[in-house]
Amino acid sequence: MRQLGAALGTAEAETSHETDAEYLRADSWPQVVAIAGRLAQVMIANDLGELLALHEAGVAGEAPQ
């Protein structure tokens, strides 16, 4: 999260803060996308691990009563 915040800060410093399009044109935007992609992978892996633990504990997939 810190890396993403820093990368967004760098992109922000390269813009005049007027439009989203300016962020997309910032030289550092590809770095923002790369970091966000890695963070998304970590978050998904963590969620899948939690779901597996719930499933193994017999909690996941139970129908509401």
Side-chain angles (χ1 to χ4, degrees), residues 9-35:
T10 299
E12 181 179 27
E14 296 174 359
T15 69
S16 62
H17 317 293
E18 292 182 20
T19 66
D20 292 343
E22 287 184 88
Y23 283 92
L24 298 176
R25 288 190 301 266
D27 289 339
S28 62
W29 191 251
Q31 185 68 15
V32 172
V33 173
I35 292 169

Side-chain angles (χ1 to χ4, degrees), residues 19-57:
T19 66
D20 292 343
E22 287 184 88
Y23 283 92
L24 298 176
R25 288 190 301 266
D27 289 339
S28 62
W29 191 251
Q31 185 68 15
V32 172
V33 173
I35 292 169
R38 288 193 301 272
L39 181 58
Q41 289 176 337
V42 169
M43 293 172 70
I44 289 168
N46 287 345
D47 286 349
L48 290 175
E50 290 296 319
L51 285 172
L52 178 61
L54 288 172
H55 177 73
E56 289 175 346

